[in-house]
Amino acid sequence: MSELDEGTPEPDLELDCTAVLTDVWLMLDGECDAATRARLQHHMEHCSPCIEAYGIEEKIKSLLSRKCGGDRAPESLRDRLTLEIRRSVTITRIESTDQG
């Protein structure tokens, strides 16, 4: 499912687009480690759909930050949302595999 352009990236840097888009908020919030950030950035350098999606998410985050006055959600809410996002990605992958 990866939309990587020309060339073959190093195996440990190649990511599925779904994984990149799942973790893009972690990167925007500065909540991922340096290795994860490097893998995400490397993927987006070679994948125009992901860099476009990243730009949209970045704008949404900026808008939310301006409109919500910097209020921070409780950590438990963040954890629950992260879990639900990961579940929906897993369900989508399983359903896609079953249909094809």
Side-chain angles (χ1 to χ4, degrees):
M1 181 167 151
S2 180
E3 297 287 338
L4 292 175
D5 294 332
E6 62 203 49
T8 303
E10 297 175 36
D12 64 326
L13 293 179
E14 186 171 353
L15 293 175
D16 181 272
C17 293
T18 305
V20 171
L21 297 176
T22 299
D23 289 338
V24 78
W25 280 89
L26 293 174
M27 190 166 94
L28 286 170
D29 290 338
E31 296 177 356
C32 62
D33 59 35
T36 301
R37 177 177 290 280
R39 285 192 303 273
L40 294 171
Q41 287 177 331
H42 177 82
H43 177 89
M44 288 190 294
E45 287 171 3
H46 301 281
C47 181
S48 57
C50 283
I51 194 64
E52 183 179 336
Y54 174 82
I56 291 168
E57 299 297 340
E58 189 175 39
K59 288 177 184 174
I60 290 171
K61 179 178 173 23
S62 176
L63 178 65
L64 286 173
S65 178
R66 284 194 314 267
K67 298 299 180 183
C68 294
D71 294 340
R72 186 164 175 90
E75 192 67 25
S76 61
L77 175 61
R78 182 186 170 281
D79 292 342
R80 286 194 325 257
L81 289 173
T82 300
L83 178 63
E84 288 303 318
I85 289 169
R86 291 188 188 281
R87 280 184 186 157
S88 69
V89 168
T90 301
I91 290 169
T92 301
R93 282 188 188 161
I94 291 170
E95 288 175 354
S96 296
T97 303
D98 290 344
Q99 294 174 3

